[in-house]
Amino acid sequence: MSKIQYSVAELAERFSLEFRGDGTRIIDGVGTLAGAGPSQLSFLSNSKYAVQLGNTRAGVVVLHQDAAEACPTAALVARDPYVAYAHIAALFERLPAAVPGIHPSAVVAAGARVHPSASIGPCCVVDDGAVIEEGVVLGPHCIIGAECVVGAQSRLVARVTLVTRVTLGKRVLVHPGAVIGSDGFGLAFDRDHWVKLPQLGGVRIGDDCEIGANTTIDRGALDDTVLEEDVRLDNQIQIAHNVYVGAHTAMAGCAAVAGSAKIGRYCMIGGNAGVLGHLELADRVTITAKSLVTHSIREAGEYSSGVPLQENRQWRRNAARFKHLDEYARRLSALEKDKNDD
Amino acid sequence: MSKIQYSVAELAERFSLEFRGDGTRIIDGVGTLAGAGPSQLSFLSNSKYAVQLGNTRAGVVVLHQDAAEACPTAALVARDPYVAYAHIAALFERLPAAVPGIHPSAVVAAGARVHPSASIGPCCVVDDGAVIEEGVVLGPHCIIGAECVVGAQSRLVARVTLVTRVTLGKRVLVHPGAVIGSDGFGLAFDRDHWVKLPQLGGVRIGDDCEIGANTTIDRGALDDTVLEEDVRLDNQIQIAHNVYVGAHTAMAGCAAVAGSAKIGRYCMIGGNAGVLGHLELADRVTITAKSLVTHSIREAGEYSSGVPLQENRQWRRNAARFKHLDEYARRLSALEKDKNDD
Amino acid sequence: MSKIQYSVAELAERFSLEFRGDGTRIIDGVGTLAGAGPSQLSFLSNSKYAVQLGNTRAGVVVLHQDAAEACPTAALVARDPYVAYAHIAALFERLPAAVPGIHPSAVVAAGARVHPSASIGPCCVVDDGAVIEEGVVLGPHCIIGAECVVGAQSRLVARVTLVTRVTLGKRVLVHPGAVIGSDGFGLAFDRDHWVKLPQLGGVRIGDDCEIGANTTIDRGALDDTVLEEDVRLDNQIQIAHNVYVGAHTAMAGCAAVAGSAKIGRYCMIGGNAGVLGHLELADRVTITAKSLVTHSIREAGEYSSGVPLQENRQWRRNAARFKHLDEYARRLSALEKDKNDD
């Protein structure tokens, strides 16, 4: 493999950044401030790491102009160094080469429509009525069910299952083990046993979404489950049937949203946080990790539940008292009343 | 594909319901009150949606007799409209056609027993000693390990793994990514390292169970892990080794049950709720979402843990106080004592 | 299959245990105290089960010398009966036979290096540059991506995905559905949309680790995500990018560790517990089930968060009071002040 190489001046021009120091220096990779060598680029975004800047051996550092003075090597000055770094680092990523065409071990139904530029990996199964658009890459072991559409330039890394009636937009990235479009969990209780509600809707995923490993997104009961564009889901997230997620919302690992909840745009749902069914969250709502949302939220802002971690022996004493909190509040009020009656 | 069509009168007769209005109207699908058109059936079960009844364009609505007066179109009157709707809607579900026989890409061991009416999908692997009964459908990429039995009419949608010694009853439905029968998590600590306990039991799943996407059910250490009949598990549920789940119990997404716990019949375990190991839950116990069950529950009823969601700044103040709750309770008692001593 | 058989005396010698009673008795399996028959071995480790000892029909029982007197059958006396049992039971485990060689349905790239003693199961996909060492067993449907190494004697049970730049040590055991080496969740927010950070690191897993079903371990952004030797992860665990887990640490089902957290050696992380990003946990820290670690922990010990489960009606009253805890604490202080001012 040939090396990927850029001079500092080339990077500055390509990303419209100002550079300081030696523009001819050749960069062939990226690394942390502590670990990068003279042919690597690093970045300083979180001030917590500013102390590492003085000792870095990196060839060039992407940073805010406030930090440029302190930089012992070449610098690329950016309004937002983390964003600039994200764009630059993408140059050095080597994605597995995807050869257009269908691997001989793949099973593609006669009624599937596969664009000739698409790459269908080993052991993929593409059902009748599925559509695979231009430039799509299906890694090994992907299953594309009936009436599913994979939008142009999307990449399903490996072992992704689209069950039925799933539409992915353009440039969607899906990680291994994700299951999209399986039956929503719909049951009616008939005296002494459960009756299953057929799940007749689908799933629509907007452009530029990313879906993490082993994440599950169920299809709707009647209407569709929807993710608008640029929604970013980490691993092991559970999206129930008929959930609606607004554009640019991000959810960290193990978050879960119950049926028919509607999440706004630009929300941030923390790790293992949960949202109960049928609730609505406004735009720009942040839920901290492991919190449970039990009522709709009408205003942007940060919301939390839970109690702090303590050494177990102390925690036990406090937790035991929680069971009597209502009683304590009443006793407190009684004392106050007594005092006022004095 | 030919259309699925029934007249309102045919539906009434088939499901023993009374109809009001035009019985000759032809229905070819289902939809929400807000979205259904004149050839579609809808339902009104949750009174929250009663306000939509007056404006529905649905051809017929399944509803309780109390709502029949207000219905602007034909009506099917049911004791429990949701259950009646579940049965009717199933008529309009189009399951992927399953052709009996073994797909050429499947790998079926010589020592496996596959009923000729069963359908074994692309890339399935069926081990020696496995038994696939009458009318079973294995979607693509299912793995059926040694000593596993898939009961008659069961359907493994796609990419389901039965590891070893797993027996599924009749009409069991398993969604993609589920792993049933993997090693329980059994470890003994030997001075400075872990020793693995071999997991020699199996898993037994009763008739009419449903297992969600990416759910995991471990096999037992010595005895089996058991789900009785009609147990309904949503996605990403974790059932540890030697758990016993009584009939008709349902668990919502991301619930988890630790080893050797015994859950009663007709229980409802909320989303992301947890049950610690070796506990017992009586029949008809409901656990609300994200609660942790830390002691056995002897009586039917609803149980909860957790604290309510608040705006983060308020929550921080309250959460910080939780660390001193025991102290507050003591101070409160001291004040009361002082008062009484006065 | 021939029977696996040992006399009690043979077992005693093999594991350096003392035996009491009939050493010639033949043992061909293991079982619980309540369920084992005369040709089976059982064990007594948890004193909770001591009451079952008197009635056991087991052929021999592994137990501590304190319990030997009460044993109605042959006994194997061990310092730690659970550890001794773990070693003995392993004799009776029948792992699926693994035939060296590559199954004809597997797709192995020309540039992959597969040791001739390794067994590559049906439908496996091994990429260019991957290395499969001596005695490795890949069950069906494993995917080994570019630049991945599977160390000697490791076993990937079935349907395991190593995405890219993943190195497994020796004797690593990985259960179905696990995804190791997928993209870390790295995003930079650029005014009105997300920009993805390329994930250029890898994952390194030490010798003798065990990874549960449907567990996900992301690869690092720049440096690697690391598990030292003998780390034991249960099912559905989420390990984010650049997490570092010390040797001999065990995590129960559904635990999750956020990015760049550093967990010590010999830690125990309870079921569905969480650790926030960038925190450090000392060695020998135990976190109880469903707790959230929100600050670094410098000292060994047991730590918890959460509130106890209650009957829902009581819980509601207490939970509602939690929202005013700060106010109550102030009112309590005010009363105390008043009293002291008297």
PDB file of all heavy atoms in Angstrom, chain B residues 123 161 192 194 196 218 272 302 304 306 318 321 331 338, chain C residues 141 159 210 235-236 248 266 290 310 312 315 326 336 339:
ATOM      1  N   CYS B 123     -27.550 -19.971   3.561  1.00  0.00           N
ATOM      2  CA  CYS B 123     -26.424 -19.908   4.494  1.00  0.00           C
ATOM      3  C   CYS B 123     -26.761 -20.417   5.894  1.00  0.00           C
ATOM      4  O   CYS B 123     -26.001 -20.160   6.834  1.00  0.00           O
ATOM      5  CB  CYS B 123     -25.864 -18.485   4.611  1.00  0.00           C
ATOM      6  SG  CYS B 123     -25.326 -17.802   3.040  1.00  0.00           S
ATOM      7  N   THR B 161     -29.113 -17.778  16.353  1.00  0.00           N
ATOM      8  CA  THR B 161     -28.160 -18.824  16.713  1.00  0.00           C
ATOM      9  C   THR B 161     -28.680 -19.613  17.911  1.00  0.00           C
ATOM     10  O   THR B 161     -28.914 -19.046  18.978  1.00  0.00           O
ATOM     11  CB  THR B 161     -26.783 -18.214  17.066  1.00  0.00           C
ATOM     12  OG1 THR B 161     -26.309 -17.483  15.936  1.00  0.00           O
ATOM     13  CG2 THR B 161     -25.779 -19.304  17.401  1.00  0.00           C
ATOM     14  N   ASP B 192      -5.748 -16.188  42.227  1.00  0.00           N
ATOM     15  CA  ASP B 192      -5.375 -14.988  41.477  1.00  0.00           C
ATOM     16  C   ASP B 192      -5.903 -14.985  40.049  1.00  0.00           C
ATOM     17  O   ASP B 192      -5.505 -14.148  39.240  1.00  0.00           O
ATOM     18  CB  ASP B 192      -3.851 -14.832  41.456  1.00  0.00           C
ATOM     19  CG  ASP B 192      -3.175 -16.041  40.840  1.00  0.00           C
ATOM     20  OD1 ASP B 192      -3.880 -17.001  40.444  1.00  0.00           O
ATOM     21  OD2 ASP B 192      -1.931 -16.037  40.756  1.00  0.00           O
ATOM     22  N   TRP B 194      -9.367 -16.555  37.258  1.00  0.00           N
ATOM     23  CA  TRP B 194     -10.683 -17.166  37.124  1.00  0.00           C
ATOM     24  C   TRP B 194     -10.593 -18.558  36.511  1.00  0.00           C
ATOM     25  O   TRP B 194      -9.788 -18.786  35.611  1.00  0.00           O
ATOM     26  CB  TRP B 194     -11.566 -16.306  36.211  1.00  0.00           C
ATOM     27  CG  TRP B 194     -11.893 -14.976  36.816  1.00  0.00           C
ATOM     28  CD1 TRP B 194     -11.360 -13.763  36.453  1.00  0.00           C
ATOM     29  CD2 TRP B 194     -12.829 -14.713  37.867  1.00  0.00           C
ATOM     30  NE1 TRP B 194     -11.907 -12.764  37.227  1.00  0.00           N
ATOM     31  CE2 TRP B 194     -12.814 -13.315  38.102  1.00  0.00           C
ATOM     32  CE3 TRP B 194     -13.673 -15.512  38.634  1.00  0.00           C
ATOM     33  CZ2 TRP B 194     -13.616 -12.716  39.076  1.00  0.00           C
ATOM     34  CZ3 TRP B 194     -14.475 -14.909  39.599  1.00  0.00           C
ATOM     35  CH2 TRP B 194     -14.439 -13.533  39.816  1.00  0.00           C
ATOM     36  N   LYS B 196     -13.182 -21.262  34.644  1.00  0.00           N
ATOM     37  CA  LYS B 196     -14.515 -21.305  34.042  1.00  0.00           C
ATOM     38  C   LYS B 196     -15.277 -22.547  34.501  1.00  0.00           C
ATOM     39  O   LYS B 196     -14.736 -23.646  34.509  1.00  0.00           O
ATOM     40  CB  LYS B 196     -14.352 -21.341  32.517  1.00  0.00           C
ATOM     41  CG  LYS B 196     -15.658 -21.369  31.763  1.00  0.00           C
ATOM     42  CD  LYS B 196     -15.385 -21.341  30.253  1.00  0.00           C
ATOM     43  CE  LYS B 196     -16.670 -21.551  29.481  1.00  0.00           C
ATOM     44  NZ  LYS B 196     -17.652 -20.462  29.689  1.00  0.00           N
ATOM     45  N   ASP B 218     -28.912 -17.656  28.037  1.00  0.00           N
ATOM     46  CA  ASP B 218     -27.821 -18.610  28.249  1.00  0.00           C
ATOM     47  C   ASP B 218     -28.332 -19.975  28.670  1.00  0.00           C
ATOM     48  O   ASP B 218     -29.374 -20.094  29.315  1.00  0.00           O
ATOM     49  CB  ASP B 218     -26.890 -18.087  29.346  1.00  0.00           C
ATOM     50  CG  ASP B 218     -25.916 -17.048  28.817  1.00  0.00           C
ATOM     51  OD1 ASP B 218     -25.845 -16.846  27.593  1.00  0.00           O
ATOM     52  OD2 ASP B 218     -25.221 -16.442  29.651  1.00  0.00           O
ATOM     53  N   ASN B 272     -35.601  -2.256  30.483  1.00  0.00           N
ATOM     54  CA  ASN B 272     -34.326  -2.069  31.196  1.00  0.00           C
ATOM     55  C   ASN B 272     -34.443  -2.324  32.699  1.00  0.00           C
ATOM     56  O   ASN B 272     -33.585  -1.892  33.468  1.00  0.00           O
ATOM     57  CB  ASN B 272     -33.752  -0.665  30.929  1.00  0.00           C
ATOM     58  CG  ASN B 272     -32.264  -0.549  31.244  1.00  0.00           C
ATOM     59  OD1 ASN B 272     -31.786   0.512  31.567  1.00  0.00           O
ATOM     60  ND2 ASN B 272     -31.537  -1.645  31.165  1.00  0.00           N
ATOM     61  N   GLU B 302     -47.473  -4.096  41.777  1.00  0.00           N
ATOM     62  CA  GLU B 302     -46.564  -3.307  40.957  1.00  0.00           C
ATOM     63  C   GLU B 302     -45.447  -2.777  41.841  1.00  0.00           C
ATOM     64  O   GLU B 302     -45.702  -2.271  42.939  1.00  0.00           O
ATOM     65  CB  GLU B 302     -47.341  -2.142  40.334  1.00  0.00           C
ATOM     66  CG  GLU B 302     -46.547  -1.399  39.278  1.00  0.00           C
ATOM     67  CD  GLU B 302     -47.357  -0.289  38.619  1.00  0.00           C
ATOM     68  OE1 GLU B 302     -48.486  -0.015  39.070  1.00  0.00           O
ATOM     69  OE2 GLU B 302     -46.853   0.305  37.644  1.00  0.00           O
ATOM     70  N   SER B 304     -41.447  -0.696  42.056  1.00  0.00           N
ATOM     71  CA  SER B 304     -40.624   0.295  41.368  1.00  0.00           C
ATOM     72  C   SER B 304     -39.400   0.659  42.184  1.00  0.00           C
ATOM     73  O   SER B 304     -39.409   0.564  43.410  1.00  0.00           O
ATOM     74  CB  SER B 304     -41.431   1.593  41.154  1.00  0.00           C
ATOM     75  OG  SER B 304     -42.617   1.328  40.454  1.00  0.00           O
ATOM     76  N   GLY B 306     -35.956   3.829  41.722  1.00  0.00           N
ATOM     77  CA  GLY B 306     -35.517   4.980  40.927  1.00  0.00           C
ATOM     78  C   GLY B 306     -36.024   6.286  41.485  1.00  0.00           C
ATOM     79  O   GLY B 306     -36.805   6.305  42.430  1.00  0.00           O
ATOM     80  N   ASN B 318     -30.524  18.038  44.704  1.00  0.00           N
ATOM     81  CA  ASN B 318     -31.208  16.979  45.452  1.00  0.00           C
ATOM     82  C   ASN B 318     -30.349  15.729  45.575  1.00  0.00           C
ATOM     83  O   ASN B 318     -30.293  15.093  46.627  1.00  0.00           O
ATOM     84  CB  ASN B 318     -32.540  16.650  44.775  1.00  0.00           C
ATOM     85  CG  ASN B 318     -33.505  17.815  44.869  1.00  0.00           C
ATOM     86  OD1 ASN B 318     -33.597  18.474  45.905  1.00  0.00           O
ATOM     87  ND2 ASN B 318     -34.202  18.101  43.776  1.00  0.00           N
ATOM     88  N   ARG B 321     -27.801  15.867  48.230  1.00  0.00           N
ATOM     89  CA  ARG B 321     -28.378  15.678  49.572  1.00  0.00           C
ATOM     90  C   ARG B 321     -28.617  14.211  49.900  1.00  0.00           C
ATOM     91  O   ARG B 321     -28.630  13.823  51.073  1.00  0.00           O
ATOM     92  CB  ARG B 321     -29.713  16.429  49.674  1.00  0.00           C
ATOM     93  CG  ARG B 321     -29.609  17.934  49.499  1.00  0.00           C
ATOM     94  CD  ARG B 321     -28.865  18.576  50.643  1.00  0.00           C
ATOM     95  NE  ARG B 321     -28.984  20.036  50.588  1.00  0.00           N
ATOM     96  CZ  ARG B 321     -28.473  20.856  51.499  1.00  0.00           C
ATOM     97  NH1 ARG B 321     -27.776  20.380  52.518  1.00  0.00           N
ATOM     98  NH2 ARG B 321     -28.630  22.164  51.383  1.00  0.00           N
ATOM     99  N   ARG B 331     -31.008  13.594  62.487  1.00  0.00           N
ATOM    100  CA  ARG B 331     -31.176  14.962  62.997  1.00  0.00           C
ATOM    101  C   ARG B 331     -32.663  15.263  63.213  1.00  0.00           C
ATOM    102  O   ARG B 331     -33.032  15.927  64.168  1.00  0.00           O
ATOM    103  CB  ARG B 331     -30.534  15.960  62.044  1.00  0.00           C
ATOM    104  CG  ARG B 331     -29.000  16.004  62.197  1.00  0.00           C
ATOM    105  CD  ARG B 331     -28.287  16.656  61.030  1.00  0.00           C
ATOM    106  NE  ARG B 331     -28.822  17.962  60.679  1.00  0.00           N
ATOM    107  CZ  ARG B 331     -28.495  18.630  59.567  1.00  0.00           C
ATOM    108  NH1 ARG B 331     -27.612  18.107  58.711  1.00  0.00           N
ATOM    109  NH2 ARG B 331     -29.024  19.799  59.317  1.00  0.00           N
ATOM    110  N   ASP B 338     -36.003  16.302  71.227  1.00  0.00           N
ATOM    111  CA  ASP B 338     -35.838  17.541  71.985  1.00  0.00           C
ATOM    112  C   ASP B 338     -37.193  18.162  72.310  1.00  0.00           C
ATOM    113  O   ASP B 338     -37.444  18.593  73.423  1.00  0.00           O
ATOM    114  CB  ASP B 338     -35.041  18.563  71.160  1.00  0.00           C
ATOM    115  CG  ASP B 338     -33.554  18.273  71.237  1.00  0.00           C
ATOM    116  OD1 ASP B 338     -33.154  17.368  72.001  1.00  0.00           O
ATOM    117  OD2 ASP B 338     -32.799  18.952  70.525  1.00  0.00           O
TER     118      ASP B 338
ATOM    119  N   HIS C 141     -19.948 -18.991  10.603  1.00  0.00           N
ATOM    120  CA  HIS C 141     -20.358 -17.586  10.405  1.00  0.00           C
ATOM    121  C   HIS C 141     -19.468 -16.572  11.109  1.00  0.00           C
ATOM    122  O   HIS C 141     -19.937 -15.465  11.397  1.00  0.00           O
ATOM    123  CB  HIS C 141     -21.807 -17.379  10.850  1.00  0.00           C
ATOM    124  CG  HIS C 141     -22.827 -17.939   9.898  1.00  0.00           C
ATOM    125  ND1 HIS C 141     -23.877 -17.214   9.441  1.00  0.00           N
ATOM    126  CD2 HIS C 141     -22.946 -19.139   9.299  1.00  0.00           C
ATOM    127  CE1 HIS C 141     -24.615 -17.953   8.625  1.00  0.00           C
ATOM    128  NE2 HIS C 141     -24.063 -19.136   8.528  1.00  0.00           N
ATOM    129  N   ARG C 159     -20.554 -17.058  14.665  1.00  0.00           N
ATOM    130  CA  ARG C 159     -21.078 -15.729  14.360  1.00  0.00           C
ATOM    131  C   ARG C 159     -20.435 -14.613  15.182  1.00  0.00           C
ATOM    132  O   ARG C 159     -21.114 -13.761  15.734  1.00  0.00           O
ATOM    133  CB  ARG C 159     -22.600 -15.738  14.599  1.00  0.00           C
ATOM    134  CG  ARG C 159     -23.262 -14.492  14.130  1.00  0.00           C
ATOM    135  CD  ARG C 159     -24.694 -14.653  13.765  1.00  0.00           C
ATOM    136  NE  ARG C 159     -25.620 -15.059  14.750  1.00  0.00           N
ATOM    137  CZ  ARG C 159     -26.233 -14.243  15.626  1.00  0.00           C
ATOM    138  NH1 ARG C 159     -25.977 -12.968  15.641  1.00  0.00           N
ATOM    139  NH2 ARG C 159     -27.100 -14.736  16.447  1.00  0.00           N
ATOM    140  N   GLU C 210     -12.623 -13.995  28.163  1.00  0.00           N
ATOM    141  CA  GLU C 210     -13.882 -14.552  27.657  1.00  0.00           C
ATOM    142  C   GLU C 210     -14.826 -13.387  27.373  1.00  0.00           C
ATOM    143  O   GLU C 210     -14.970 -12.475  28.194  1.00  0.00           O
ATOM    144  CB  GLU C 210     -14.497 -15.497  28.701  1.00  0.00           C
ATOM    145  CG  GLU C 210     -15.792 -16.123  28.221  1.00  0.00           C
ATOM    146  CD  GLU C 210     -16.291 -17.263  29.121  1.00  0.00           C
ATOM    147  OE1 GLU C 210     -15.620 -17.595  30.107  1.00  0.00           O
ATOM    148  OE2 GLU C 210     -17.373 -17.805  28.808  1.00  0.00           O
ATOM    149  N   ASN C 235     -22.624 -11.374  28.762  1.00  0.00           N
ATOM    150  CA  ASN C 235     -23.358 -10.996  27.540  1.00  0.00           C
ATOM    151  C   ASN C 235     -23.724  -9.508  27.507  1.00  0.00           C
ATOM    152  O   ASN C 235     -23.931  -8.889  28.543  1.00  0.00           O
ATOM    153  CB  ASN C 235     -24.682 -11.767  27.455  1.00  0.00           C
ATOM    154  CG  ASN C 235     -24.483 -13.262  27.331  1.00  0.00           C
ATOM    155  OD1 ASN C 235     -23.397 -13.741  27.053  1.00  0.00           O
ATOM    156  ND2 ASN C 235     -25.553 -14.014  27.555  1.00  0.00           N
ATOM    157  N   GLN C 236     -23.856  -8.998  26.285  1.00  0.00           N
ATOM    158  CA  GLN C 236     -24.434  -7.672  26.034  1.00  0.00           C
ATOM    159  C   GLN C 236     -23.716  -6.562  26.788  1.00  0.00           C
ATOM    160  O   GLN C 236     -24.345  -5.589  27.235  1.00  0.00           O
ATOM    161  CB  GLN C 236     -25.936  -7.655  26.356  1.00  0.00           C
ATOM    162  CG  GLN C 236     -26.729  -8.607  25.458  1.00  0.00           C
ATOM    163  CD  GLN C 236     -28.204  -8.275  25.437  1.00  0.00           C
ATOM    164  OE1 GLN C 236     -28.595  -7.124  25.392  1.00  0.00           O
ATOM    165  NE2 GLN C 236     -29.041  -9.304  25.423  1.00  0.00           N
ATOM    166  N   HIS C 248      -7.958  -9.804  34.987  1.00  0.00           N
ATOM    167  CA  HIS C 248      -8.796 -10.540  35.955  1.00  0.00           C
ATOM    168  C   HIS C 248     -10.054  -9.785  36.372  1.00  0.00           C
ATOM    169  O   HIS C 248     -10.709 -10.186  37.331  1.00  0.00           O
ATOM    170  CB  HIS C 248      -7.987 -10.912  37.205  1.00  0.00           C
ATOM    171  CG  HIS C 248      -6.646 -11.493  36.915  1.00  0.00           C
ATOM    172  ND1 HIS C 248      -6.487 -12.714  36.316  1.00  0.00           N
ATOM    173  CD2 HIS C 248      -5.384 -11.000  37.097  1.00  0.00           C
ATOM    174  CE1 HIS C 248      -5.195 -12.958  36.167  1.00  0.00           C
ATOM    175  NE2 HIS C 248      -4.514 -11.932  36.619  1.00  0.00           N
ATOM    176  N   TYR C 266      -8.655  -6.982  38.828  1.00  0.00           N
ATOM    177  CA  TYR C 266      -9.481  -7.658  39.832  1.00  0.00           C
ATOM    178  C   TYR C 266     -10.713  -6.835  40.235  1.00  0.00           C
ATOM    179  O   TYR C 266     -11.143  -6.888  41.383  1.00  0.00           O
ATOM    180  CB  TYR C 266      -8.645  -7.983  41.082  1.00  0.00           C
ATOM    181  CG  TYR C 266      -7.559  -8.998  40.832  1.00  0.00           C
ATOM    182  CD1 TYR C 266      -6.213  -8.635  40.846  1.00  0.00           C
ATOM    183  CD2 TYR C 266      -7.879 -10.329  40.581  1.00  0.00           C
ATOM    184  CE1 TYR C 266      -5.204  -9.557  40.617  1.00  0.00           C
ATOM    185  CE2 TYR C 266      -6.872 -11.266  40.364  1.00  0.00           C
ATOM    186  CZ  TYR C 266      -5.549 -10.878  40.377  1.00  0.00           C
ATOM    187  OH  TYR C 266      -4.566 -11.801  40.154  1.00  0.00           O
ATOM    188  N   LYS C 290     -26.404  -2.196  38.404  1.00  0.00           N
ATOM    189  CA  LYS C 290     -27.173  -1.022  37.949  1.00  0.00           C
ATOM    190  C   LYS C 290     -26.656   0.292  38.523  1.00  0.00           C
ATOM    191  O   LYS C 290     -27.326   1.323  38.375  1.00  0.00           O
ATOM    192  CB  LYS C 290     -28.657  -1.190  38.301  1.00  0.00           C
ATOM    193  CG  LYS C 290     -29.551  -1.039  37.077  1.00  0.00           C
ATOM    194  CD  LYS C 290     -31.010  -1.129  37.392  1.00  0.00           C
ATOM    195  CE  LYS C 290     -31.825  -0.990  36.127  1.00  0.00           C
ATOM    196  NZ  LYS C 290     -31.658  -2.078  35.162  1.00  0.00           N
ATOM    197  N   GLN C 310     -39.640  -0.705  45.937  1.00  0.00           N
ATOM    198  CA  GLN C 310     -40.798  -0.703  46.838  1.00  0.00           C
ATOM    199  C   GLN C 310     -42.059  -0.961  46.042  1.00  0.00           C
ATOM    200  O   GLN C 310     -42.087  -0.787  44.822  1.00  0.00           O
ATOM    201  CB  GLN C 310     -40.938   0.671  47.513  1.00  0.00           C
ATOM    202  CG  GLN C 310     -39.888   0.978  48.543  1.00  0.00           C
ATOM    203  CD  GLN C 310     -40.218   2.273  49.264  1.00  0.00           C
ATOM    204  OE1 GLN C 310     -39.979   3.345  48.754  1.00  0.00           O
ATOM    205  NE2 GLN C 310     -40.773   2.154  50.465  1.00  0.00           N
ATOM    206  N   ASN C 312     -45.243  -0.030  44.352  1.00  0.00           N
ATOM    207  CA  ASN C 312     -45.305   1.199  43.550  1.00  0.00           C
ATOM    208  C   ASN C 312     -45.987   2.366  44.242  1.00  0.00           C
ATOM    209  O   ASN C 312     -45.530   3.510  44.119  1.00  0.00           O
ATOM    210  CB  ASN C 312     -45.989   0.901  42.207  1.00  0.00           C
ATOM    211  CG  ASN C 312     -46.085   2.130  41.320  1.00  0.00           C
ATOM    212  OD1 ASN C 312     -47.072   2.841  41.330  1.00  0.00           O
ATOM    213  ND2 ASN C 312     -45.024   2.399  40.560  1.00  0.00           N
ATOM    214  N   TRP C 315     -43.605   3.799  46.744  1.00  0.00           N
ATOM    215  CA  TRP C 315     -42.449   4.348  46.021  1.00  0.00           C
ATOM    216  C   TRP C 315     -42.775   5.712  45.421  1.00  0.00           C
ATOM    217  O   TRP C 315     -41.973   6.645  45.495  1.00  0.00           O
ATOM    218  CB  TRP C 315     -42.000   3.375  44.908  1.00  0.00           C
ATOM    219  CG  TRP C 315     -41.001   4.000  43.994  1.00  0.00           C
ATOM    220  CD1 TRP C 315     -39.660   4.161  44.223  1.00  0.00           C
ATOM    221  CD2 TRP C 315     -41.266   4.601  42.730  1.00  0.00           C
ATOM    222  NE1 TRP C 315     -39.075   4.813  43.170  1.00  0.00           N
ATOM    223  CE2 TRP C 315     -40.037   5.088  42.250  1.00  0.00           C
ATOM    224  CE3 TRP C 315     -42.417   4.763  41.950  1.00  0.00           C
ATOM    225  CZ2 TRP C 315     -39.929   5.732  41.007  1.00  0.00           C
ATOM    226  CZ3 TRP C 315     -42.315   5.401  40.728  1.00  0.00           C
ATOM    227  CH2 TRP C 315     -41.082   5.882  40.267  1.00  0.00           C
ATOM    228  N   ASP C 326     -33.390  18.883  48.681  1.00  0.00           N
ATOM    229  CA  ASP C 326     -32.543  20.031  49.027  1.00  0.00           C
ATOM    230  C   ASP C 326     -33.309  20.996  49.926  1.00  0.00           C
ATOM    231  O   ASP C 326     -32.783  21.474  50.931  1.00  0.00           O
ATOM    232  CB  ASP C 326     -32.098  20.724  47.742  1.00  0.00           C
ATOM    233  CG  ASP C 326     -31.172  21.888  48.026  1.00  0.00           C
ATOM    234  OD1 ASP C 326     -30.171  21.686  48.748  1.00  0.00           O
ATOM    235  OD2 ASP C 326     -31.451  22.993  47.539  1.00  0.00           O
ATOM    236  N   GLU C 336     -33.113  23.528  63.278  1.00  0.00           N
ATOM    237  CA  GLU C 336     -32.035  23.329  64.241  1.00  0.00           C
ATOM    238  C   GLU C 336     -31.470  24.670  64.710  1.00  0.00           C
ATOM    239  O   GLU C 336     -31.164  24.871  65.880  1.00  0.00           O
ATOM    240  CB  GLU C 336     -30.918  22.489  63.627  1.00  0.00           C
ATOM    241  CG  GLU C 336     -31.320  21.028  63.467  1.00  0.00           C
ATOM    242  CD  GLU C 336     -30.341  20.236  62.608  1.00  0.00           C
ATOM    243  OE1 GLU C 336     -29.689  20.841  61.722  1.00  0.00           O
ATOM    244  OE2 GLU C 336     -30.230  19.016  62.805  1.00  0.00           O
ATOM    245  N   LYS C 339     -33.797  26.291  67.108  1.00  0.00           N
ATOM    246  CA  LYS C 339     -33.706  25.666  68.417  1.00  0.00           C
ATOM    247  C   LYS C 339     -32.469  26.188  69.183  1.00  0.00           C
ATOM    248  O   LYS C 339     -32.540  26.520  70.352  1.00  0.00           O
ATOM    249  CB  LYS C 339     -33.624  24.151  68.272  1.00  0.00           C
ATOM    250  CG  LYS C 339     -33.701  23.400  69.596  1.00  0.00           C
ATOM    251  CD  LYS C 339     -33.690  21.910  69.381  1.00  0.00           C
ATOM    252  CE  LYS C 339     -32.336  21.430  68.919  1.00  0.00           C
ATOM    253  NZ  LYS C 339     -31.369  21.252  70.030  1.00  0.00           N
TER     254      LYS C 339
END
